[in-house]
mmCIF file of all heavy atoms in Angstrom:
data_model
loop_
_atom_site.group_PDB
_atom_site.id
_atom_site.type_symbol
_atom_site.label_atom_id
_atom_site.label_comp_id
_atom_site.label_asym_id
_atom_site.label_seq_id
_atom_site.Cartn_x
_atom_site.Cartn_y
_atom_site.Cartn_z
ATOM 1 N N ASP A 1 -100.358 -66.942 -22.265
ATOM 2 C CA ASP A 1 -99.466 -66.137 -21.435
ATOM 3 C C ASP A 1 -98.722 -67.048 -20.470
ATOM 4 O O ASP A 1 -99.207 -68.140 -20.113
ATOM 5 C CB ASP A 1 -100.255 -65.073 -20.659
ATOM 6 C CG ASP A 1 -99.397 -63.854 -20.333
ATOM 7 O OD1 ASP A 1 -98.187 -63.901 -20.608
ATOM 8 O OD2 ASP A 1 -99.923 -62.861 -19.820
ATOM 9 N N PHE A 2 -97.529 -66.597 -20.055
ATOM 10 C CA PHE A 2 -96.687 -67.353 -19.138
ATOM 11 C C PHE A 2 -96.287 -66.441 -17.981
ATOM 12 O O PHE A 2 -95.812 -65.327 -18.213
ATOM 13 C CB PHE A 2 -95.425 -67.861 -19.837
ATOM 14 C CG PHE A 2 -95.710 -68.697 -21.061
ATOM 15 C CD1 PHE A 2 -95.814 -68.099 -22.308
ATOM 16 C CD2 PHE A 2 -95.872 -70.068 -20.971
ATOM 17 C CE1 PHE A 2 -96.061 -68.849 -23.439
ATOM 18 C CE2 PHE A 2 -96.132 -70.830 -22.099
ATOM 19 C CZ PHE A 2 -96.230 -70.225 -23.333
ATOM 20 N N ILE A 3 -96.501 -66.896 -16.747
ATOM 21 C CA ILE A 3 -96.083 -66.142 -15.565
ATOM 22 C C ILE A 3 -95.021 -66.975 -14.858
ATOM 23 O O ILE A 3 -95.326 -67.997 -14.236
ATOM 24 C CB ILE A 3 -97.255 -65.845 -14.614
ATOM 25 C CG1 ILE A 3 -98.360 -65.066 -15.348
ATOM 26 C CG2 ILE A 3 -96.778 -65.056 -13.417
ATOM 27 C CD1 ILE A 3 -99.500 -65.923 -15.831
ATOM 28 N N VAL A 4 -93.747 -66.571 -14.998
ATOM 29 C CA VAL A 4 -92.628 -67.323 -14.436
ATOM 30 C C VAL A 4 -92.270 -66.721 -13.088
ATOM 31 O O VAL A 4 -91.880 -65.555 -12.998
ATOM 32 C CB VAL A 4 -91.418 -67.288 -15.390
ATOM 33 C CG1 VAL A 4 -90.264 -68.067 -14.793
ATOM 34 C CG2 VAL A 4 -91.797 -67.864 -16.753
ATOM 35 N N TYR A 5 -92.411 -67.539 -12.027
ATOM 36 C CA TYR A 5 -92.061 -67.072 -10.683
ATOM 37 C C TYR A 5 -90.580 -67.325 -10.388
ATOM 38 O O TYR A 5 -89.893 -66.489 -9.816
ATOM 39 C CB TYR A 5 -92.918 -67.776 -9.651
ATOM 40 C CG TYR A 5 -94.402 -67.567 -9.857
ATOM 41 C CD1 TYR A 5 -95.194 -68.542 -10.450
ATOM 42 C CD2 TYR A 5 -95.003 -66.377 -9.493
ATOM 43 C CE1 TYR A 5 -96.548 -68.355 -10.655
ATOM 44 C CE2 TYR A 5 -96.360 -66.165 -9.694
ATOM 45 C CZ TYR A 5 -97.126 -67.163 -10.266
ATOM 46 O OH TYR A 5 -98.459 -66.959 -10.472
ATOM 47 N N ASP A 6 -90.097 -68.484 -10.740
ATOM 48 C CA ASP A 6 -88.682 -68.818 -10.680
ATOM 49 C C ASP A 6 -88.449 -69.958 -11.664
ATOM 50 O O ASP A 6 -89.339 -70.300 -12.444
ATOM 51 C CB ASP A 6 -88.243 -69.189 -9.250
ATOM 52 C CG ASP A 6 -89.103 -70.295 -8.651
ATOM 53 O OD1 ASP A 6 -89.414 -71.284 -9.380
ATOM 54 O OD2 ASP A 6 -89.499 -70.187 -7.482
ATOM 55 N N ARG A 7 -87.291 -70.564 -11.667
ATOM 56 C CA ARG A 7 -86.957 -71.578 -12.668
ATOM 57 C C ARG A 7 -87.723 -72.878 -12.471
ATOM 58 O O ARG A 7 -87.687 -73.754 -13.343
ATOM 59 C CB ARG A 7 -85.459 -71.847 -12.647
ATOM 60 C CG ARG A 7 -84.598 -70.656 -13.055
ATOM 61 C CD ARG A 7 -83.148 -71.044 -13.153
ATOM 62 N NE ARG A 7 -82.942 -72.009 -14.223
ATOM 63 C CZ ARG A 7 -81.801 -72.663 -14.427
ATOM 64 N NH1 ARG A 7 -80.768 -72.440 -13.615
ATOM 65 N NH2 ARG A 7 -81.688 -73.523 -15.408
ATOM 66 N N SER A 8 -88.436 -72.999 -11.349
ATOM 67 C CA SER A 8 -89.169 -74.239 -11.072
ATOM 68 C C SER A 8 -90.677 -74.045 -11.003
ATOM 69 O O SER A 8 -91.411 -75.029 -10.916
ATOM 70 C CB SER A 8 -88.686 -74.854 -9.751
ATOM 71 O OG SER A 8 -87.318 -75.182 -9.818
ATOM 72 N N HIS A 9 -91.143 -72.810 -11.010
ATOM 73 C CA HIS A 9 -92.575 -72.556 -10.848
ATOM 74 C C HIS A 9 -93.052 -71.598 -11.945
ATOM 75 O O HIS A 9 -92.495 -70.518 -12.126
ATOM 76 C CB HIS A 9 -92.870 -71.944 -9.476
ATOM 77 C CG HIS A 9 -92.507 -72.843 -8.331
ATOM 78 N ND1 HIS A 9 -91.223 -72.895 -7.825
ATOM 79 C CD2 HIS A 9 -93.252 -73.738 -7.615
ATOM 80 C CE1 HIS A 9 -91.191 -73.773 -6.822
ATOM 81 N NE2 HIS A 9 -92.400 -74.304 -6.682
ATOM 82 N N ILE A 10 -94.084 -72.029 -12.645
ATOM 83 C CA ILE A 10 -94.622 -71.226 -13.743
ATOM 84 C C ILE A 10 -96.117 -71.455 -13.866
ATOM 85 O O ILE A 10 -96.593 -72.581 -13.687
ATOM 86 C CB ILE A 10 -93.914 -71.569 -15.083
ATOM 87 C CG1 ILE A 10 -94.501 -70.745 -16.229
ATOM 88 C CG2 ILE A 10 -93.998 -73.043 -15.381
ATOM 89 C CD1 ILE A 10 -93.801 -70.950 -17.550
ATOM 90 N N ASP A 11 -96.868 -70.377 -14.124
ATOM 91 C CA ASP A 11 -98.289 -70.469 -14.450
ATOM 92 C C ASP A 11 -98.451 -70.282 -15.958
ATOM 93 O O ASP A 11 -97.795 -69.428 -16.564
ATOM 94 C CB ASP A 11 -99.110 -69.395 -13.714
ATOM 95 C CG ASP A 11 -99.299 -69.728 -12.253
ATOM 96 O OD1 ASP A 11 -98.900 -70.834 -11.824
ATOM 97 O OD2 ASP A 11 -99.852 -68.890 -11.525
ATOM 98 N N ILE A 12 -99.322 -71.084 -16.561
ATOM 99 C CA ILE A 12 -99.579 -71.012 -17.999
ATOM 100 C C ILE A 12 -101.061 -70.771 -18.213
ATOM 101 O O ILE A 12 -101.903 -71.473 -17.649
ATOM 102 C CB ILE A 12 -99.148 -72.309 -18.712
ATOM 103 C CG1 ILE A 12 -97.656 -72.580 -18.459
ATOM 104 C CG2 ILE A 12 -99.431 -72.224 -20.205
ATOM 105 C CD1 ILE A 12 -97.197 -73.927 -18.950
ATOM 106 N N LEU A 13 -101.354 -69.780 -19.021
ATOM 107 C CA LEU A 13 -102.741 -69.396 -19.312
ATOM 108 C C LEU A 13 -102.956 -69.519 -20.809
ATOM 109 O O LEU A 13 -102.255 -68.901 -21.593
ATOM 110 C CB LEU A 13 -102.969 -67.949 -18.854
ATOM 111 C CG LEU A 13 -104.363 -67.348 -19.044
ATOM 112 C CD1 LEU A 13 -105.344 -68.020 -18.098
ATOM 113 C CD2 LEU A 13 -104.329 -65.854 -18.785
ATOM 114 N N ILE A 14 -103.927 -70.355 -21.205
ATOM 115 C CA ILE A 14 -104.262 -70.505 -22.621
ATOM 116 C C ILE A 14 -105.769 -70.401 -22.757
ATOM 117 O O ILE A 14 -106.510 -71.030 -21.994
ATOM 118 C CB ILE A 14 -103.728 -71.840 -23.192
ATOM 119 C CG1 ILE A 14 -104.116 -71.973 -24.671
ATOM 120 C CG2 ILE A 14 -104.191 -73.041 -22.402
ATOM 121 C CD1 ILE A 14 -103.429 -73.145 -25.367
ATOM 122 N N GLY A 15 -106.223 -69.550 -23.675
ATOM 123 C CA GLY A 15 -107.662 -69.306 -23.795
ATOM 124 C C GLY A 15 -108.080 -69.025 -25.218
ATOM 125 O O GLY A 15 -107.258 -68.808 -26.112
ATOM 126 N N ASP A 16 -109.390 -69.012 -25.422
ATOM 127 C CA ASP A 16 -109.969 -68.762 -26.746
ATOM 128 C C ASP A 16 -111.269 -67.998 -26.546
ATOM 129 O O ASP A 16 -112.221 -68.519 -25.969
ATOM 130 C CB ASP A 16 -110.226 -70.100 -27.463
ATOM 131 C CG ASP A 16 -110.699 -69.896 -28.891
ATOM 132 O OD1 ASP A 16 -110.748 -68.742 -29.369
ATOM 133 O OD2 ASP A 16 -111.046 -70.891 -29.538
ATOM 134 N N VAL A 17 -111.302 -66.740 -26.998
ATOM 135 C CA VAL A 17 -112.504 -65.916 -26.887
ATOM 136 C C VAL A 17 -113.444 -66.258 -28.048
ATOM 137 O O VAL A 17 -113.014 -66.448 -29.177
ATOM 138 C CB VAL A 17 -112.148 -64.414 -26.929
ATOM 139 C CG1 VAL A 17 -113.410 -63.565 -26.796
ATOM 140 C CG2 VAL A 17 -111.169 -64.081 -25.819
ATOM 141 N N MET A 18 -114.728 -66.347 -27.740
ATOM 142 C CA MET A 18 -115.715 -66.667 -28.763
ATOM 143 C C MET A 18 -115.686 -65.644 -29.889
ATOM 144 O O MET A 18 -115.621 -64.445 -29.646
ATOM 145 C CB MET A 18 -117.114 -66.690 -28.140
ATOM 146 C CG MET A 18 -118.233 -66.982 -29.132
ATOM 147 S SD MET A 18 -119.878 -66.694 -28.443
ATOM 148 C CE MET A 18 -119.889 -64.908 -28.339
ATOM 149 N N GLY A 19 -115.762 -66.130 -31.133
ATOM 150 C CA GLY A 19 -115.890 -65.253 -32.282
ATOM 151 C C GLY A 19 -114.549 -64.795 -32.838
ATOM 152 O O GLY A 19 -113.478 -65.262 -32.445
ATOM 153 N N HIS A 20 -114.627 -63.871 -33.783
ATOM 154 C CA HIS A 20 -113.450 -63.334 -34.454
ATOM 155 C C HIS A 20 -113.527 -61.804 -34.439
ATOM 156 O O HIS A 20 -114.541 -61.226 -34.089
ATOM 157 C CB HIS A 20 -113.379 -63.815 -35.907
ATOM 158 C CG HIS A 20 -113.452 -65.301 -36.068
ATOM 159 N ND1 HIS A 20 -112.447 -66.151 -35.690
ATOM 160 C CD2 HIS A 20 -114.441 -66.092 -36.564
ATOM 161 C CE1 HIS A 20 -112.786 -67.394 -35.954
ATOM 162 N NE2 HIS A 20 -114.002 -67.382 -36.479
ATOM 163 N N GLY A 21 -112.415 -61.184 -34.817
ATOM 164 C CA GLY A 21 -112.420 -59.745 -34.999
ATOM 165 C C GLY A 21 -111.824 -58.980 -33.840
ATOM 166 O O GLY A 21 -111.275 -59.540 -32.889
ATOM 167 N N ILE A 22 -111.985 -57.658 -33.931
ATOM 168 C CA ILE A 22 -111.346 -56.766 -32.959
ATOM 169 C C ILE A 22 -111.882 -56.988 -31.551
ATOM 170 O O ILE A 22 -111.129 -56.983 -30.581
ATOM 171 C CB ILE A 22 -111.556 -55.300 -33.403
ATOM 172 C CG1 ILE A 22 -110.712 -55.018 -34.652
ATOM 173 C CG2 ILE A 22 -111.184 -54.332 -32.298
ATOM 174 C CD1 ILE A 22 -110.866 -53.622 -35.195
ATOM 175 N N GLN A 23 -113.205 -57.199 -31.402
ATOM 176 C CA GLN A 23 -113.758 -57.381 -30.061
ATOM 177 C C GLN A 23 -113.147 -58.593 -29.385
ATOM 178 O O GLN A 23 -112.775 -58.532 -28.200
ATOM 179 C CB GLN A 23 -115.280 -57.530 -30.122
ATOM 180 C CG GLN A 23 -115.890 -57.824 -28.743
ATOM 181 C CD GLN A 23 -117.397 -57.851 -28.749
ATOM 182 O OE1 GLN A 23 -118.033 -56.832 -28.950
ATOM 183 N NE2 GLN A 23 -117.976 -59.023 -28.551
ATOM 184 N N SER A 24 -113.024 -59.722 -30.105
ATOM 185 C CA SER A 24 -112.444 -60.924 -29.513
ATOM 186 C C SER A 24 -110.999 -60.677 -29.094
ATOM 187 O O SER A 24 -110.580 -61.095 -28.006
ATOM 188 C CB SER A 24 -112.525 -62.085 -30.505
ATOM 189 O OG SER A 24 -113.859 -62.415 -30.786
ATOM 190 N N ALA A 25 -110.227 -60.009 -29.951
ATOM 191 C CA ALA A 25 -108.838 -59.715 -29.617
ATOM 192 C C ALA A 25 -108.747 -58.799 -28.403
ATOM 193 O O ALA A 25 -107.908 -58.993 -27.513
ATOM 194 C CB ALA A 25 -108.131 -59.071 -30.814
ATOM 195 N N LEU A 26 -109.617 -57.813 -28.330
ATOM 196 C CA LEU A 26 -109.603 -56.870 -27.208
ATOM 197 C C LEU A 26 -109.989 -57.555 -25.908
ATOM 198 O O LEU A 26 -109.384 -57.320 -24.856
ATOM 199 C CB LEU A 26 -110.567 -55.715 -27.502
ATOM 200 C CG LEU A 26 -110.562 -54.546 -26.513
ATOM 201 C CD1 LEU A 26 -109.191 -53.913 -26.434
ATOM 202 C CD2 LEU A 26 -111.590 -53.499 -26.906
ATOM 203 N N VAL A 27 -111.000 -58.424 -25.953
ATOM 204 C CA VAL A 27 -111.405 -59.161 -24.751
ATOM 205 C C VAL A 27 -110.271 -60.069 -24.288
ATOM 206 O O VAL A 27 -109.959 -60.149 -23.091
ATOM 207 C CB VAL A 27 -112.687 -59.978 -25.026
ATOM 208 C CG1 VAL A 27 -112.972 -60.926 -23.863
ATOM 209 C CG2 VAL A 27 -113.877 -59.048 -25.212
ATOM 210 N N GLY A 28 -109.617 -60.768 -25.236
ATOM 211 C CA GLY A 28 -108.498 -61.631 -24.864
ATOM 212 C C GLY A 28 -107.370 -60.852 -24.214
ATOM 213 O O GLY A 28 -106.811 -61.284 -23.196
ATOM 214 N N ALA A 29 -107.021 -59.697 -24.774
ATOM 215 C CA ALA A 29 -105.964 -58.869 -24.182
ATOM 216 C C ALA A 29 -106.373 -58.367 -22.807
ATOM 217 O O ALA A 29 -105.549 -58.315 -21.878
ATOM 218 C CB ALA A 29 -105.662 -57.688 -25.107
ATOM 219 N N GLY A 30 -107.655 -58.005 -22.638
ATOM 220 C CA GLY A 30 -108.126 -57.524 -21.332
ATOM 221 C C GLY A 30 -108.067 -58.604 -20.274
ATOM 222 O O GLY A 30 -107.685 -58.348 -19.119
ATOM 223 N N ILE A 31 -108.436 -59.839 -20.628
ATOM 224 C CA ILE A 31 -108.401 -60.943 -19.659
ATOM 225 C C ILE A 31 -106.962 -61.257 -19.258
ATOM 226 O O ILE A 31 -106.657 -61.487 -18.080
ATOM 227 C CB ILE A 31 -109.110 -62.174 -20.239
ATOM 228 C CG1 ILE A 31 -110.625 -61.918 -20.302
ATOM 229 C CG2 ILE A 31 -108.823 -63.416 -19.396
ATOM 230 C CD1 ILE A 31 -111.413 -63.035 -20.907
ATOM 231 N N LYS A 32 -106.042 -61.256 -20.230
ATOM 232 C CA LYS A 32 -104.636 -61.460 -19.900
ATOM 233 C C LYS A 32 -104.160 -60.399 -18.905
ATOM 234 O O LYS A 32 -103.509 -60.712 -17.901
ATOM 235 C CB LYS A 32 -103.786 -61.376 -21.158
ATOM 236 C CG LYS A 32 -103.765 -62.623 -22.008
ATOM 237 C CD LYS A 32 -102.831 -62.463 -23.193
ATOM 238 C CE LYS A 32 -101.439 -62.111 -22.788
ATOM 239 N NZ LYS A 32 -100.517 -61.977 -23.929
ATOM 240 N N SER A 33 -104.485 -59.153 -19.166
ATOM 241 C CA SER A 33 -104.068 -58.059 -18.294
ATOM 242 C C SER A 33 -104.681 -58.203 -16.902
ATOM 243 O O SER A 33 -104.016 -57.959 -15.890
ATOM 244 C CB SER A 33 -104.481 -56.723 -18.923
ATOM 245 O OG SER A 33 -104.173 -55.653 -18.077
ATOM 246 N N LEU A 34 -105.937 -58.634 -16.853
ATOM 247 C CA LEU A 34 -106.614 -58.781 -15.567
ATOM 248 C C LEU A 34 -105.970 -59.876 -14.728
ATOM 249 O O LEU A 34 -105.839 -59.742 -13.500
ATOM 250 C CB LEU A 34 -108.095 -59.094 -15.814
ATOM 251 C CG LEU A 34 -109.042 -58.957 -14.622
ATOM 252 C CD1 LEU A 34 -108.911 -57.587 -13.974
ATOM 253 C CD2 LEU A 34 -110.480 -59.187 -15.062
ATOM 254 N N PHE A 35 -105.546 -60.980 -15.351
ATOM 255 C CA PHE A 35 -104.854 -62.039 -14.614
ATOM 256 C C PHE A 35 -103.584 -61.508 -13.968
ATOM 257 O O PHE A 35 -103.289 -61.808 -12.805
ATOM 258 C CB PHE A 35 -104.523 -63.196 -15.560
ATOM 259 C CG PHE A 35 -105.532 -64.302 -15.550
ATOM 260 C CD1 PHE A 35 -106.609 -64.279 -16.418
ATOM 261 C CD2 PHE A 35 -105.434 -65.350 -14.660
ATOM 262 C CE1 PHE A 35 -107.543 -65.287 -16.421
ATOM 263 C CE2 PHE A 35 -106.363 -66.365 -14.646
ATOM 264 C CZ PHE A 35 -107.424 -66.349 -15.528
ATOM 265 N N LEU A 36 -102.819 -60.730 -14.718
ATOM 266 C CA LEU A 36 -101.567 -60.204 -14.167
ATOM 267 C C LEU A 36 -101.830 -59.276 -12.993
ATOM 268 O O LEU A 36 -101.098 -59.283 -11.993
ATOM 269 C CB LEU A 36 -100.798 -59.467 -15.266
ATOM 270 C CG LEU A 36 -100.309 -60.340 -16.427
ATOM 271 C CD1 LEU A 36 -99.628 -59.476 -17.485
ATOM 272 C CD2 LEU A 36 -99.348 -61.399 -15.930
ATOM 273 N N LYS A 37 -102.883 -58.472 -13.066
ATOM 274 C CA LYS A 37 -103.217 -57.560 -11.971
ATOM 275 C C LYS A 37 -103.630 -58.333 -10.727
ATOM 276 O O LYS A 37 -103.214 -58.009 -9.603
ATOM 277 C CB LYS A 37 -104.333 -56.617 -12.404
ATOM 278 C CG LYS A 37 -103.898 -55.578 -13.422
ATOM 279 C CD LYS A 37 -105.008 -54.587 -13.726
ATOM 280 C CE LYS A 37 -104.533 -53.520 -14.706
ATOM 281 N NZ LYS A 37 -105.569 -52.517 -14.994
ATOM 282 N N VAL A 38 -104.458 -59.344 -10.920
ATOM 283 C CA VAL A 38 -104.904 -60.134 -9.770
ATOM 284 C C VAL A 38 -103.728 -60.852 -9.127
ATOM 285 O O VAL A 38 -103.595 -60.906 -7.898
ATOM 286 C CB VAL A 38 -105.990 -61.137 -10.215
ATOM 287 C CG1 VAL A 38 -106.273 -62.142 -9.102
ATOM 288 C CG2 VAL A 38 -107.263 -60.407 -10.587
ATOM 289 N N LEU A 39 -102.832 -61.409 -9.945
ATOM 290 C CA LEU A 39 -101.643 -62.073 -9.401
ATOM 291 C C LEU A 39 -100.790 -61.106 -8.585
ATOM 292 O O LEU A 39 -100.298 -61.449 -7.511
ATOM 293 C CB LEU A 39 -100.818 -62.658 -10.543
ATOM 294 C CG LEU A 39 -101.246 -64.026 -11.060
ATOM 295 C CD1 LEU A 39 -100.524 -64.350 -12.356
ATOM 296 C CD2 LEU A 39 -100.952 -65.092 -10.026
ATOM 297 N N ALA A 40 -100.617 -59.885 -9.095
ATOM 298 C CA ALA A 40 -99.816 -58.888 -8.382
ATOM 299 C C ALA A 40 -100.452 -58.533 -7.040
ATOM 300 O O ALA A 40 -99.760 -58.332 -6.044
ATOM 301 C CB ALA A 40 -99.663 -57.634 -9.240
ATOM 302 N N GLU A 41 -101.772 -58.488 -6.988
ATOM 303 C CA GLU A 41 -102.468 -58.150 -5.745
ATOM 304 C C GLU A 41 -102.382 -59.275 -4.713
ATOM 305 O O GLU A 41 -102.225 -59.026 -3.525
ATOM 306 C CB GLU A 41 -103.938 -57.859 -6.036
ATOM 307 C CG GLU A 41 -104.194 -56.589 -6.789
ATOM 308 C CD GLU A 41 -105.665 -56.401 -7.117
ATOM 309 O OE1 GLU A 41 -106.479 -57.262 -6.750
ATOM 310 O OE2 GLU A 41 -105.972 -55.387 -7.734
ATOM 311 N N GLN A 42 -102.495 -60.516 -5.192
ATOM 312 C CA GLN A 42 -102.659 -61.631 -4.263
ATOM 313 C C GLN A 42 -101.357 -62.246 -3.797
ATOM 314 O O GLN A 42 -101.363 -63.074 -2.894
ATOM 315 C CB GLN A 42 -103.538 -62.711 -4.910
ATOM 316 C CG GLN A 42 -104.973 -62.260 -5.149
ATOM 317 C CD GLN A 42 -105.905 -63.419 -5.436
ATOM 318 O OE1 GLN A 42 -105.497 -64.575 -5.454
ATOM 319 N NE2 GLN A 42 -107.168 -63.108 -5.645
ATOM 320 N N GLN A 43 -100.224 -61.879 -4.389
ATOM 321 C CA GLN A 43 -98.967 -62.438 -3.911
ATOM 322 C C GLN A 43 -98.655 -61.891 -2.522
ATOM 323 O O GLN A 43 -98.697 -60.692 -2.287
ATOM 324 C CB GLN A 43 -97.831 -62.096 -4.870
ATOM 325 C CG GLN A 43 -97.878 -62.922 -6.159
ATOM 326 C CD GLN A 43 -96.568 -62.866 -6.912
ATOM 327 O OE1 GLN A 43 -95.523 -63.185 -6.344
ATOM 328 N NE2 GLN A 43 -96.618 -62.466 -8.163
ATOM 329 N N SER A 44 -98.333 -62.786 -1.632
ATOM 330 C CA SER A 44 -98.080 -62.397 -0.235
ATOM 331 C C SER A 44 -96.619 -62.036 -0.043
ATOM 332 O O SER A 44 -95.749 -62.354 -0.865
ATOM 333 C CB SER A 44 -98.456 -63.549 0.701
ATOM 334 O OG SER A 44 -97.630 -64.669 0.463
#
């Protein structure tokens, strides 16, 4: 995932959930979503 704040500042998130299948895909999607929520909360 990429979180672009402006043309000079960007956060990059790259991860790998253990295992294969639907559970791994669901956990990966949930973690991505959780990062975005935390970022939205913590921006001053």
Side-chain angles (χ1 to χ4, degrees):
D1 207 354
F2 304 90
I3 302 98
V4 180
Y5 302 101
D6 54 43
R7 296 186 65 189
S8 299
H9 298 84
I10 179 176
D11 285 354
I12 302 172
L13 181 69
I14 179 170
D16 186 5
V17 181
M18 179 191 71
H20 306 290
I22 289 179
Q23 176 175 292
S24 296
L26 187 59
V27 170
I31 289 178
K32 280 183 56 179
S33 176
L34 194 53
F35 265 90
L36 295 177
K37 289 185 178 182
V38 169
L39 277 169
E41 290 177 0
Q42 294 195 0
Q43 285 196 55
S44 64

